[in-house]
Amino acid sequence: MTLRYFRQLAGSRLLRPVFVILIVVGVVQVLVSQWLITNQVQGLVDTAGNALEESARHVSGSFGDTREEVKARLQTMREQTTQELSAELTRQQEAQQQRMAENVRKAVMSEAQGLANVLAAVAAPMIWDRDIPRLTDLVELADARDSVLFAVYYDQYGKRMTRYVDRTDDRVRALMDKGRGVVPRTRSLMRPAGIRTS
């Protein structure tokens, strides 16, 4: 009965236009809904894409700034480290040079003092005998040492007995050019032998 009833309704000339209109309206509604959904989805996709691109640009810019900042800090640290190491090496080198110079000076002074002691010990009889030639030989022997600028013998009265000076030595000539002479008035190290070290 129900099927026959629906057939009668569908076959009715009055209801057929209504069914057609309802079907057309339904199709139009489906099409409009599909179009709206498609546009909304596309809008969401575009919005999400733009947001992702903006976020990517922001992150890239942040990474770039961070990279430049890190690079600048590393450069500053490297320059500071280089300067500190250079200053420390310079200080150590200067300290080492001072220690070496002091050691050399002590060694030269010790050698000169030892030589003066030896010359004084062996020259006592010659001074007593006023053997100037042999004393001069000893002075020349001492003067041949690089650590000795010149050597002088004094008698028991404090008067100079030997006058030998190597005037070819640049250091001696420098003293002579300054007008100071080559033999100071004061005894250099000890009696009876005085030695001036370089």
Side-chain angles (χ1 to χ4, degrees):
M1 181 176 178
T2 305
L3 184 57
R4 182 181 298 174
Y5 178 72
F6 280 114
R7 285 181 181 176
Q8 288 177 358
L9 287 176
S12 174
R13 291 184 180 181
L14 292 175
L15 295 177
R16 189 179 297 165
V18 175
F19 285 129
V20 172
I21 291 173
L22 288 175
I23 292 172
V24 171
V25 169
V27 171
V28 170
Q29 186 177 3
V30 170
L31 293 176
V32 170
S33 298
Q34 185 67 28
W35 179 74
L36 290 174
I37 291 172
T38 302
N39 284 341
Q40 288 178 354
V41 169
Q42 186 63 38
L44 290 175
V45 169
D46 293 341
T47 302
N50 292 333
L52 287 175
E53 289 178 1
E54 183 65 25
S55 177
R57 283 195 296 269
H58 181 69
V59 170
S60 177
S62 298
F63 280 161
D65 294 340
T66 304
R67 184 171 58 249
E68 292 299 326
E69 184 177 356
V70 170
K71 186 185 297 183
R73 288 185 179 180
L74 287 175
Q75 181 68 22
T76 302
M77 290 175 60
R78 181 169 58 189
E79 291 176 356
Q80 278 184 335
T81 303
T82 302
Q83 291 176 355
E84 291 175 359
L85 286 175
S86 177
E88 182 64 24
L89 288 175
T90 301
R91 285 194 295 270
Q92 291 181 1
Q93 185 177 8
E94 290 177 352
Q96 182 68 20
Q97 289 176 349
Q98 290 177 356
R99 286 194 296 269
M100 291 177 62
E102 182 65 19
N103 291 337
V104 169
R105 189 187 70 80
K106 288 180 179 179
V108 170
M109 292 298 295
S110 176
E111 179 186 359
Q113 185 64 52
L115 182 60
N117 293 338
V118 170
L119 291 176
V122 301
M126 302 175 200
I127 293 175
W128 184 261
D129 295 337
R130 302 192 68 80
D131 190 350
I132 304 301
R134 293 181 65 187
L135 290 175
T136 303
D137 290 340
L138 291 177
V139 168
E140 290 182 9
L141 181 64
D143 191 57
R145 306 284 298 200
D146 290 336
S147 59
V148 177
L149 184 58
F150 58 85
V152 176
Y153 275 106
Y154 296 92
D155 62 13
Q156 62 271 27
Y157 304 109
K159 293 186 178 181
R160 207 171 53 209
M161 299 179 67
T162 56
R163 298 183 179 274
Y164 172 78
V165 176
D166 183 10
R167 298 177 185 273
T168 63
D169 191 329
D170 293 335
R171 299 169 297 177
V172 174
R173 283 191 305 206
L175 288 175
M176 295 174 67
D177 291 340
K178 289 180 181 179
R180 294 174 56 187
V182 293
V183 179
R185 293 182 180 273
T186 58
R187 279 65 170 182
S188 297
L189 292 177
M190 62 177 297
R191 291 183 183 179
I195 294 180
R196 177 71 178 270
T197 59
S198 56

